[in-house]
């Protein structure tokens, strides 16, 4: 068999992303040894029961000691604490990366604590589900997904190349981006949609004239599509809001302005404006399906003949 | 073979809903004759090519002349015009219903034009996809879906019972509701989600610092779930906004208040409040999955092992 890409990979944090990494590393033989570290003894036991690694640690410092690649998969708000713990224990040439959904904040939290003899390259695999915890992971999570790396200008090119190859071996396509630009892009494609989803589910939960059982019963008419995002890990999303604040507040302001104008069109019965607003959005859906970023099956293929792809009606 | 439920069913409008009705009526043998009427000669030709009916008409009056059941499947804003055209041509005992997403407005538009010798019972099958047009329909659309009837207090009980049996034969479970309550329920479970989805896609479309190709490329991180709803028929949704104005404006006002408070929590870094807001919404998702209103497969089953149902991570 071919030599694995890395001798030892340390996974700090073993939730949906960390445990999916453990599974794909094992499935593809990308490391000789996988060291798993998490603060919670209970979560570590679960990881052990699932057989996700070769060694298990509650100390991050201990887990990274022999690691050639360290992947930090924790809520972004915990990044600095982790970097502080592992910094002085990294071996020369070790590559340190993360999977956080915000990048400028993670870079400023972690970079200062990574010694010159190691290589810090922040990253973000655009992959996930609404589920969390070590049981939720699966080896295929990163297949045909994008992974964005946000290396600093002085980052080691060989280290970037090795990290790139790692993600490609996981099935992803790698892009490089400036951390601030990453945060603006994700604010609109991911962070705002999650905030909006959480918000509308909360609004429905507060109604007096419509019962919760009615909301659940008739949710197939649109509402349920939002509940998937609103079921995501609350700690992760709290931290995203706190650590991509500026970009998110800008997107929220734009969204609210647009919504006020739509609300005004409804109040004043401006059918032409509503029609125009509701027409322009169809093209984007078509492009997303054409780009292979979503299924063309109507209703996400929840019902109806499999053969019925969207094209006919477009 | 058993006698069909109705001799002649007239379908006014042959889009996603009308053409799905035509298909299920044929599949289950619910009528001896299906008369299809639509204003557009092109759409009527498509219906004819698809073999959706037994007779084809551009005149609604002509189509309903021998009908025992008339199902109006047009944008709700066209309801009054249709009722006016067919009213004097309905035969004694004919049942007239509709499938519109708003009910109080449809009742006030249609009821005055239906003669005493016919039975008007407004209805709304909670079923659909983001697609439109006669090609988009399929016989299974109404299977395991709810259908809400909003009969007036003096409606004929036998007619209600026959219409109920029709929808049950299509695979739906029938509920009865007051038109105004229907409109409030649908405003939160369907109309607001669609408005929000249209709005966020519009907001993304307007950005200067993030390119449209980036939005499409990285849409899997949340945005794409909204684009499905935002690809729905613009004429239908324009009319929903114009004809469920009061309930929709109330839901929009509540949503905006809640969003402002969430925005404030982000601006002031109130992590505890964000965590609380993001936690309460998980239970609703679980209830929707438990109620069989959505798939438990992570990411709508778009990737990952089929066996991986949501429960573990909850």
């Amino acid at each position: 068999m071919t030599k694995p890409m890395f001798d030892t990979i340390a996974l700090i944090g073993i939730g949906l992303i960390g445990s999916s990494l453990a599974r794909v590393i094992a499935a593809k033989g990308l490391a000789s040894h996988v060291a798993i570290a998490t603060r919670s003894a209970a979560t570590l036991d679960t990881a052990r029961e699932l057989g996700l690694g070769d060694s298990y640690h509650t100390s991050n410092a201990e887990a990274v000691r022999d690691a050639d690649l360290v992947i930090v998969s924790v809520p972004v708000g915990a990044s600095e604490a982790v970097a502080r713990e592992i910094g002085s224990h990294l071996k020369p040439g070790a590559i340190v990366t993360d999977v956080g959904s915000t990048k400028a904040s993670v870079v400023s939290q972690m970079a200062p604590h990574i010694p010159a003899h190691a290589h810090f390259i922040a990253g973000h695999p655009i992959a996930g589900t609404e589920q969390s915890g070590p049981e939720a992971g699966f080896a295929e999570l990163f297949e045909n997904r994008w992974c964005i790396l946000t290396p600093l200008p002085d980052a080691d090119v060989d280290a970037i190349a090795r990290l790139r190859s790692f993600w490609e071996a996981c099935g992803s396509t790698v892009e490089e981006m400036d951390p601030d630009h990453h945060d603006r892009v994700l604010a609109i494609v991911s962070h705002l949609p999650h905030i909006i989803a959480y918000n509308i589910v909360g609004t429905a939960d507060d109604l007096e004239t419509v019962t919760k059982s009615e909301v659940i019963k008739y949710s197939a008419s649109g509402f349920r599509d939002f509940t998937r995002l609103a079921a995501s890990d609350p700690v992760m999303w709290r931290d995203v809001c706190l650590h991509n604040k500026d970009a998110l507040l800008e997107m929220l302001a734009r969204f609210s302005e647009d919504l006020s104008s739509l609300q005004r069109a409804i109040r004043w019965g401006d059918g032409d404006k509503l029609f125009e607003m509701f027409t322009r959005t169809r093209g984007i859906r078509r492009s997303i399906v054409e780009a292979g970023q979503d299924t063309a099956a109507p209703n996400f293929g929840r019902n109806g003949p499999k053969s019925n792809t969207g094209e006919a009606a477009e």
Side-chain angles (χ1 to χ4, degrees), chain A residues 265-304:
Chain A
I266 293 171
R267 188 177 302 282
W268 294 97
D270 187 344
D272 294 343
K273 181 166 188 185
L274 292 170
F275 179 78
E276 183 273 328
M277 287 171 153
F278 297 166
T279 304
R280 61 188 288 212
T281 50
R282 281 193 140 176
I284 293 188
R285 174 66 182 175
R286 198 178 305 114
S287 309
I288 285 173
V289 169
E290 281 163 8
Q293 290 300 306
D294 203 356
T295 166
N299 213 350
F300 298 124
R302 286 187 184 107
N303 65 3

Side-chain angles (χ1 to χ4, degrees), chain A residues 72-154:
Chain A
V72 179
S73 311
V74 301
V76 290
S79 306
E80 178 159 24
V82 169
R84 198 187 293 275
E85 287 165 24
I86 65 175
S88 57
H89 302 274
L90 294 164
K91 74 180 198 186
I95 298 172
V96 178
T97 189
D98 79 306
V99 301
S101 304
T102 75
K103 294 268 71 71
S105 162
V106 166
V107 169
S108 62
Q109 287 183 71
M110 295 185 74
H113 302 286
I114 307 304
H117 67 252
H119 308 292
F120 173 63
I121 302 158
H124 178 203
I126 311 294
T129 75
E130 63 276 26
Q131 322 212 330
S132 44
E135 309 90 339
F138 49 96
E140 303 80 4
L141 181 61
F142 310 104
E143 261 172 35
N144 305 313
R145 301 285 161 209
W146 297 98
C147 180
I148 300 174
L149 300 182
T150 62
L152 295 168
D154 61 354

Side-chain angles (χ1 to χ4, degrees), chain A residues 173-240:
Chain A
T173 307
V174 177
E175 292 275 325
E176 287 182 36
M177 214 181 267
D178 162 75
D180 292 314
H181 187 64
H182 166 280
D183 289 355
R184 270 197 304 278
V185 172
L186 270 291
I188 187 67
V189 298
S190 177
H191 306 169
L192 181 61
H194 278 80
I195 295 310
I196 296 306
Y198 278 118
N199 194 71
I200 194 171
V201 175
T203 301
D205 200 29
D206 286 338
L207 294 173
E208 309 83 17
T209 57
V210 177
T211 68
K212 195 171 299 182
S213 66
E214 286 174 315
V215 169
I216 290 157
K217 198 165 165 181
Y218 302 117
S219 59
S221 46
F223 184 76
R224 65 175 174 185
D225 286 9
F226 291 65
T227 61
R228 188 185 76 83
L229 296 180
S232 305
D233 181 21
V235 174
M236 170 188 165
W237 285 99
R238 175 199 67 198
D239 281 8
V240 166

